[in-house]
Amino acid sequence: MEQIWKDRWDERYSNEEFAYGKEPNQYLKKELDKLRPGTILFPAEGEGRNAVYAAKIGWNVFAFDISSEGKKKALQLAASNNVKIDYKVGELETIDYEADQFDAIGLVYAHFPAAVKSHYHTILDKYLRKGGVIVFEAFSKKNLDYVQKDEKIGGPKDIESLFSIAEIKSDFPDYDFEELTEMEIELNEGLFHNGKGSVIRFVGRKR
């Protein structure tokens, strides 16, 4: 992955304030609260808000991101909440997780570069056990219309990095979707997710 990506996220996460706040994503929280805690992975986890919440409710938490500044903030947040998370820095293909290691994966605004996002989903699928659950929320392709009206909503500005329901079905063919929807929501997450936007949400259970 290009150095420019790492530099961008290191810069965003190097400030004292948390870029997306310290509270977990509300959709993720709602869905995790329904599940029996096990072992969970958070890709592209940034400053750790979701990982820390999962650890607080009893999950064994693993996370990774390309940003070392994100890891610093995540470990700081974990310490302040008296929990521990296993957080690695690197690109997915360089991190050695095991097949069937996880009971759940939390994909929350994990907008990987367009050239690798489907490939990364394939890799992540291998790490999830049969019967395991993915909880997903990220900006849909329609979000470009919202960004043009108000940049405060955030999200990628290239349509290839955004998601459609058809892409999700293609990337996760061996899943039963308990929910799969595209919808308008109101976000209030830290400095960079604010206002109305369009997202894809799904909960999928691996067959």
Side-chain angles (χ1 to χ4, degrees), residues 94-160:
T94 69
I95 300 174
D96 295 325
Y97 299 122
E98 297 178 4
D100 306 322
Q101 181 174 347
F102 300 104
D103 301 298
I105 295 177
L107 282 168
V108 181
Y109 297 99
H111 288 278
F112 300 115
V116 300
K117 68 177 184 177
S118 290
H119 175 57
Y120 274 20
H121 289 162
T122 300
I123 296 174
L124 291 170
D125 170 69
K126 295 175 183 177
Y127 297 149
L128 187 68
R129 67 167 177 82
K130 286 187 177 181
V133 173
I134 290 177
V135 180
F136 178 103
E137 180 175 291
F139 289 114
S140 79
K141 295 184 185 298
K142 291 180 182 177
N143 196 60
L144 284 181
D145 295 334
Y146 290 84
V147 171
Q148 289 173 0
K149 296 174 184 175
D150 184 2
E151 288 196 353
K152 292 181 180 178
I153 186 59
K157 295 180 181 178
D158 63 301
I159 197 164
E160 292 83 7

Side-chain angles (χ1 to χ4, degrees), residues 121-122 125 167-177 207:
H121 289 162
T122 300
D125 170 69
E167 283 180 343
I168 295 300
K169 289 180 176 179
S170 176
D171 284 359
F172 299 98
D174 299 320
Y175 286 73
D176 293 321
F177 291 104
R207 293 196 292 266

Side-chain angles (χ1 to χ4, degrees), residues 35-105:
L35 300 175
R36 178 181 297 177
T39 301
I40 190 168
L41 174 65
F42 288 96
E45 175 54 5
E47 297 166 312
R49 64 193 177 107
N50 299 306
V52 167
Y53 177 75
K56 287 171 67 176
I57 62 171
W59 289 81
N60 181 25
V61 178
F62 293 75
F64 72 89
D65 199 281
I66 59 171
S67 171
S68 57
E69 293 295 329
K71 178 180 179 178
K72 289 178 187 177
K73 297 280 279 295
L75 296 183
Q76 171 191 329
L77 186 62
S80 68
N81 283 274
N82 298 308
V83 295
K84 292 185 178 181
I85 58 177
D86 183 302
Y87 195 120
K88 298 184 185 299
V89 175
E91 298 173 40
L92 176 57
E93 59 265 45
T94 69
I95 300 174
D96 295 325
Y97 299 122
E98 297 178 4
D100 306 322
Q101 181 174 347
F102 300 104
D103 301 298
I105 295 177

Side-chain angles (χ1 to χ4, degrees), residues 17-24 47-49 77 189-192:
E17 194 165 352
F18 278 64
Y20 301 100
K22 297 180 180 180
E23 298 301 316
E47 297 166 312
R49 64 193 177 107
L77 186 62
E189 297 185 326
L191 299 174
F192 293 101

